[in-house]
Amino acid sequence: MFLYILVLTIIFIFGYIYLLDIRITNTWSKNGIPFYKGKFGLGYGWEFFTGDKPLFMIYDKIYKRHGNVPAIATRSFLNPVLILKDPENIQQITSGDFNAFSQRGTVVNGDVDLLADNILFMNGNRWKLTRQKFTPLFTSAKLRNMYYIMNQSAKDFVDLMAKIKLNEDNFNLLSTFCSAAVSAAVFGITTNSIMDSPLLEMAKKTFTPTFKSNLKFALANASNRLFNYLKIRLFSDHQDFFIGTMKKVLQARRESKVKTHDFADLCIEVQKNGKMRDVKTGYEIEPTDELMSAQAFFFFIAGVEPSAISMFFTLFELARNPNILKRVHDEIDEVFEKSEGEVTHEDIEKIEYLDRVIEEAMRRHPPISFLSRKCTQDTVLKVGNIPVHKGCIVQVPTYSIHHDPKYYPDPEIFNPDRFTEEAIRQRPHYTYMPFGLGNRMCLGMRYANLQVKTGLVHVMRHYTVQTDDLNTKVEYRKSPVQLKANNINFRFVRRLLN
Ligand code: HEM
Ligand SMILES: *[C@@H]1O[C@H](CO)[C@@H](O)[C@H](O)[C@H]1NC(C)=O
Ligand SMILES: *[C@@H]1O[C@H](CO)[C@@H](O)[C@H](O)[C@H]1NC(C)=O
């Protein structure tokens, strides 16, 4: 009996794949779009599931295999997937034809999973209104007011570095800095050093994957319907503590006269304006403490790891490139000497070469290795005249585009001059996307840049970096989206300043 069911199931699955295959290959092959079948016809799904390569490296193989085409069709198990190559189509799905691609395709149960009810996971009117109301919280004026927190965070971090044993796990050390800095930016500075914040422990635990959390994410991925039906909460373990903390902070802010300019403070301003309302659609949301907590939570899930990855690879590439390292040190030292140790927000903004170094590090090693959009209404991509059906997942292979010699000659070479104004002008648009593109682009980009840069400026004032991996080809660890290295490292060495 069991065997009978098993055989039927297998026949059914392969039959389904076969039919789907015909549908997909027919519509797409007519337009000259190659189809990547992968193992057992399951696209790259099987390869990713059973192999040890990160997803973006599988995309990269597919991207390189097919030369001059606007896109490659494939699937992840049964889901049709389109991998884009052409920048104009990338423009179309991220901005031009946004209505058909307004979602990323990740699922959460926002009604019960309170912390997941944030801009990163929301969709439709709810996303639009919330993003609209929170965008003004990330202007340069707001960030300038917040700078004192980043300055303090960077100094506390350098103080900590002087006290501990360095170079045991530098990625972990940088994540600790990013968690602490984000905690301070969201909840304010509550302890003598931000590194002593009681929230730090929680922040670190939240993002250490456990068997249970992996299982939940896997189910969210495998079957949206089942995941919704079971009302699974991805972030339930942290919900009470996180919301409780935020409620206390918000209450304290309501009673206090002092403006602290951190995110909690800004949430109070949003709440003061009463119900959030979209004038066009009439859609309304009550800005409750819970909703504010969920937005605060996106700083942690969307912000901490990619910032740490960006710092890690910037330092690693500096260690590998002594000439560039020297120029960065000179630039930073000049600022410190002029300002007698007191680096202001304006000083940070004036440090230009380091910007280019960070940009180039995020080209070579984009912390978020690809972008995702889900098609929600049938449409046609302009270049190649490619029909895309509702339900299809469209991927923008950030890593591969960042390494396409058409846009970046000698892509393996680390060269910050790719980001001079002149060089940027000469490149086609939509070929650089560490923070994504279009309407759903990273909301925290400016915040992240300032935090990463301020951290690096203070660290590089006191430390230099060295590596034994001068010519090692970087290998990346298997991970769904984020990019982490397997086989390379660098060490901090204290500088002798007089
Ligand atoms: C170096 C650090 C960071 C990198 C590389 C990064 C990158 C990204 C990328 C690639 C996306 C997807 C964009 C798309 O689909 O087009 C994204 C979305 C987002 N990021 Fe970041 N991010 C960083 C830091 C942060 C920080 C610190 C915050 C919080 C303050 C943040 C908040 C968000 C939010 C809210 C979204 C979702 C936007 C939406 O769906 O409307 N990010 N980020
Ligand atoms: C930066 O931090 C130092 C040490 O905590 C403080 O003395 C200085 O005033 C801060 N500067 C700014 C611009 O916030
Ligand atoms: C599931 O994960 C695969 C790769 O792991 C990804 O390509 C696909 O878009 C995901 N599907 C959903 C529905 O999230």
Side-chain angles (χ1 to χ4, degrees):
M1 185 63 189
F2 174 74
L3 201 68
Y4 184 65
I5 293 175
L6 191 74
V7 170
L8 266 185
T9 314
I10 292 175
I11 292 177
F12 176 78
I13 291 176
F14 277 89
Y16 183 79
I17 293 173
Y18 181 72
L19 289 176
L20 205 75
D21 233 13
I22 295 181
R23 202 186 105 197
I24 298 177
T25 38
N26 273 358
T27 47
W28 282 339
S29 71
K30 262 189 277 166
N31 303 67
I33 303 304
F35 189 80
Y36 177 80
K37 276 192 119 150
K39 265 243 169 72
F40 308 125
L42 293 169
Y44 59 79
W46 182 268
E47 238 166 298
F48 176 67
F49 194 67
T50 57
D52 59 358
K53 277 213 177 111
L55 196 51
F56 76 90
M57 286 309 277
I58 299 176
Y59 291 167
D60 198 51
K61 183 183 79 181
I62 301 174
Y63 185 99
K64 286 201 180 111
R65 183 179 293 179
H66 300 280
N68 206 8
V69 291
I72 301 126
T74 180
R75 69 156 66 92
S76 167
F77 295 105
L78 301 184
N79 240 328
V81 174
L82 199 61
I83 300 174
L84 300 191
K85 286 190 91 166
D86 189 277
E88 279 184 54
N89 286 342
I90 296 174
Q91 189 279 344
Q92 187 182 340
I93 68 146
T94 53
S95 353
D97 199 0
F98 182 67
N99 282 339
F101 298 100
S102 64
Q103 307 190 359
R104 284 203 191 85
T106 41
V107 288
V108 294
N109 296 309
D111 52 340
V112 288
D113 199 355
L114 298 181
L115 292 178
D117 190 21
N118 68 49
I119 297 172
L120 186 67
F121 297 117
M122 284 172 169
N123 284 313
N125 283 337
R126 195 170 178 80
W127 166 79
K128 185 163 160 262
L129 177 58
T130 313
R131 177 143 181 152
Q132 217 176 56
K133 295 295 175 196
F134 279 82
T135 299
L137 274 46
F138 292 91
T139 58
S140 355
K142 295 274 197 268
L143 287 179
R144 175 162 324 173
N145 288 336
M146 211 185 247
Y147 172 72
Y148 82 96
I149 300 177
M150 302 189 203
N151 167 58
Q152 184 72 47
S153 302
K155 293 198 173 207
D156 288 349
F157 181 55
V158 173
D159 289 347
L160 175 80
M161 285 176 78
K163 284 187 229 146
I164 59 170
K165 193 160 183 298
L166 287 174
N167 304 325
E168 298 204 316
D169 183 347
N170 283 338
F171 179 74
N172 189 38
L173 181 66
L174 294 167
S175 322
T176 304
F177 163 67
C178 294
S179 304
V182 159
S183 300
V186 170
F187 298 113
I189 297 173
T190 53
T191 40
N192 227 345
S193 163
I194 60 143
M195 306 306 297
D196 300 332
S197 164
L199 288 165
L200 192 53
E201 212 31 49
M202 177 223 59
K204 299 220 79 175
K205 259 198 229 126
T206 310
F207 309 105
T208 312
T210 59
F211 179 68
K212 199 168 120 199
S213 69
N214 281 340
L215 210 63
K216 286 183 188 175
F217 279 103
L219 186 60
N221 187 291
S223 167
N224 297 356
R225 226 173 281 167
L226 192 60
F227 183 79
N228 290 142
Y229 180 76
L230 296 174
K231 294 255 175 239
I232 290 172
R233 297 181 296 162
L234 289 177
F235 307 112
S236 55
D237 293 354
H238 317 290
Q239 186 168 303
D240 294 344
F241 181 72
F242 197 90
I243 295 179
T245 305
M246 188 67 174
K247 273 184 188 280
K248 268 186 234 145
V249 174
L250 290 175
Q251 192 49 37
R253 291 306 154 72
R254 283 184 202 109
E255 287 159 8
S256 153
K257 300 243 154 19
V258 188
K259 280 198 79 59
T260 47
H261 302 290
D262 46 42
F263 188 72
D265 231 20
L266 299 171
C267 287
I268 296 287
E269 283 176 32
V270 173
Q271 288 184 323
K272 270 194 191 138
N273 293 332
K275 246 188 198 147
M276 312 193 307
R277 184 162 199 280
D278 187 345
V279 277
K280 270 203 204 118
T281 58
Y283 185 78
E284 287 183 339
I285 308 176
E286 189 68 55
T288 59
D289 286 359
E290 283 74 13
L291 189 79
M292 299 299 121
S293 304
Q295 309 322 306
F297 195 61
F298 77 54
F299 273 77
F300 292 88
I301 38 171
V304 173
E305 280 241 302
S307 306
I309 296 171
S310 157
M311 290 180 86
F312 180 86
F313 281 111
T314 303
L315 290 164
F316 170 65
E317 290 293 353
L318 284 171
R320 284 221 276 201
N321 294 277
N323 294 337
I324 298 171
L325 175 67
K326 166 132 200 337
R327 210 171 142 184
V328 167
H329 271 146
D330 288 349
E331 192 183 34
I332 291 173
D333 290 346
E334 199 189 313
V335 168
F336 269 86
E337 273 144 34
K338 261 201 207 135
S339 63
E340 290 165 358
E342 207 36 73
V343 187
T344 63
H345 183 247
E346 287 67 37
D347 293 331
I348 295 280
E349 282 190 327
K350 269 188 234 138
I351 298 179
E352 253 178 18
Y353 187 63
L354 181 59
D355 279 336
R356 276 179 259 155
V357 171
I358 298 170
E359 283 173 335
E360 174 68 348
M362 286 197 286
R363 177 193 69 83
R364 274 293 274 122
H365 314 278
I368 307 291
S369 56
F370 62 89
L371 310 177
S372 231
R373 294 292 185 271
K374 182 181 182 174
C375 179
T376 51
Q377 63 193 50
D378 292 3
T379 185
V380 177
L381 297 186
K382 274 178 244 147
V383 179
N385 205 13
I386 309 165
V388 184
H389 294 287
K390 187 175 162 180
C392 177
I393 299 284
V394 181
Q395 307 285 38
V396 179
T398 306
Y399 179 89
S400 305
I401 289 167
H402 284 187
H403 289 80
D404 191 328
K406 257 206 302 206
Y407 315 124
Y408 301 96
D410 296 321
E412 304 290 318
I413 299 211
F414 188 83
N415 175 12
D417 290 342
R418 299 183 201 268
F419 291 91
T420 60
E421 276 177 32
E422 180 59 23
I424 293 171
R425 234 194 328 271
Q426 284 175 3
R427 234 182 342 259
H429 291 304
Y430 295 90
T431 52
Y432 184 65
M433 56 202 79
F435 291 101
L437 291 166
N439 306 35
R440 289 212 77 145
M441 184 176 186
C442 180
L443 185 62
M445 177 174 79
R446 284 171 163 189
Y447 167 85
N449 274 336
L450 188 59
Q451 179 184 291
V452 162
K453 197 172 168 190
T454 309
L456 286 173
V457 164
H458 283 269
V459 169
M460 300 293 290
R461 170 66 175 167
H462 298 282
Y463 292 86
T464 189
V465 278
Q466 297 172 349
T467 181
D468 300 325
D469 296 308
L470 288 173
N471 296 305
T472 313
K473 185 170 166 49
V474 182
E475 278 167 23
Y476 300 100
R477 204 182 305 165
K478 180 173 179 177
S479 122
V481 217
Q482 285 168 352
L483 183 137
K484 293 189 191 160
N486 243 344
N487 64 333
I488 49 114
N489 217 335
F490 68 84
R491 47 182 183 274
F492 289 110
V493 178
R494 186 103 192 162
R495 294 173 75 196
L496 299 169
L497 299 168
N498 37 21

